[in-house]
Amino acid sequence: MRDSLAVISTIEAVRTVIRHSNEFKQLKTDIESEAISEGDIREFVSRQLSYLRPGESFPFEGALSAIAIALENCPTEFASSYLEDLSQLDIAEIQIAPKVARRSLELQRTLADVTYRRFGELIHEEGLTLYPQVGRVGSGSIEDPVDLRVA
């Protein structure tokens, strides 16, 4: 898959090609259903990285990229760590996957922000109060306890 990814002009185009592949659809389903665990992903990536050779294009960039895309909607520490680590990779042999991971990380952070804001809106709409009075930012203090009763 790497050779075909290398001729695609943008990272969004790479992401589109990957997302439409049957292999990716199965990977995403397996991750979401937990048929593939974090340990399975770690083991797989470790095995693939054993093929990394100085001065040679890495043959499994498509797989690393597909995992990144599949994990972007997973709100777990493992997913964030995978995306962060891959996005910071800076070696000549692996050039596409870090860019895909950077985009996935951006989307993951955007999704987390939107989810957080939507949760706040939902609480407001339902008349629930989580933090009626919050102390100074960073102080770690909350003046009133959490109250989830309908106002």
Side-chain angles (χ1 to χ4, degrees), residues 17 30 41 45 47 58 80 85 94 105-106 117 142-143:
V17 168
D30 288 347
I41 294 171
V45 170
R47 254 193 338 266
F58 183 63
S80 295
D85 291 348
I94 304 177
L105 193 57
E106 288 172 10
R117 281 187 281 135
I142 298 174
E143 295 172 16

Side-chain angles (χ1 to χ4, degrees), residues 28-83:
K28 186 167 172 55
T29 299
D30 288 347
I31 288 173
E32 289 172 350
S33 70
E34 298 180 7
I36 293 178
S37 69
E38 293 173 4
D40 295 333
I41 294 171
R42 282 188 187 98
E43 184 180 317
F44 174 81
V45 170
S46 179
R47 254 193 338 266
Q48 301 315 303
L49 289 176
S50 71
Y51 292 97
L52 185 60
R53 303 285 181 262
E56 294 180 18
S57 293
F58 183 63
F60 301 106
E61 281 204 79
L64 297 182
S65 298
I67 293 169
I69 296 168
L71 291 176
E72 70 191 27
N73 292 323
C74 297
T76 65
E77 187 176 321
F78 170 76
S80 295
S81 177
Y82 178 88
L83 295 174

Side-chain angles (χ1 to χ4, degrees), residues 2-151:
R2 190 216 191 292
D3 291 336
S4 61
L5 294 180
V7 298
I8 300 173
S9 63
T10 69
I11 292 305
E12 283 307 316
V14 169
R15 290 171 47 79
T16 299
V17 168
I18 290 172
R19 281 195 317 264
H20 285 88
S21 72
N22 290 331
E23 294 88 353
F24 172 77
K25 291 174 185 173
Q26 186 62 54
L27 171 68
K28 186 167 172 55
T29 299
D30 288 347
I31 288 173
E32 289 172 350
S33 70
E34 298 180 7
I36 293 178
S37 69
E38 293 173 4
D40 295 333
I41 294 171
R42 282 188 187 98
E43 184 180 317
F44 174 81
V45 170
S46 179
R47 254 193 338 266
Q48 301 315 303
L49 289 176
S50 71
Y51 292 97
L52 185 60
R53 303 285 181 262
E56 294 180 18
S57 293
F58 183 63
F60 301 106
E61 281 204 79
L64 297 182
S65 298
I67 293 169
I69 296 168
L71 291 176
E72 70 191 27
N73 292 323
C74 297
T76 65
E77 187 176 321
F78 170 76
S80 295
S81 177
Y82 178 88
L83 295 174
E84 190 72 42
D85 291 348
L86 184 56
S87 73
Q88 292 178 8
L89 192 61
D90 186 20
I91 60 174
E93 294 79 7
I94 304 177
Q95 295 192 7
I96 297 168
K99 293 173 185 172
V100 170
R102 280 193 285 279
R103 181 65 181 135
S104 292
L105 193 57
E106 288 172 10
L107 292 171
Q108 185 188 55
R109 289 176 178 158
T110 299
L111 178 64
D113 184 49
V114 168
T115 300
Y116 177 77
R117 281 187 281 135
R118 179 63 190 129
F119 182 68
E121 291 167 11
L122 180 67
I123 287 175
H124 180 71
E125 288 168 10
E126 297 296 323
L128 302 175
T129 303
L130 280 183
Y131 300 103
Q133 296 177 346
V134 179
R136 290 180 315 227
V137 174
S139 69
S141 66
I142 298 174
E143 295 172 16
D144 291 333
V146 174
D147 180 2
L148 293 177
R149 292 174 290 154
V150 175

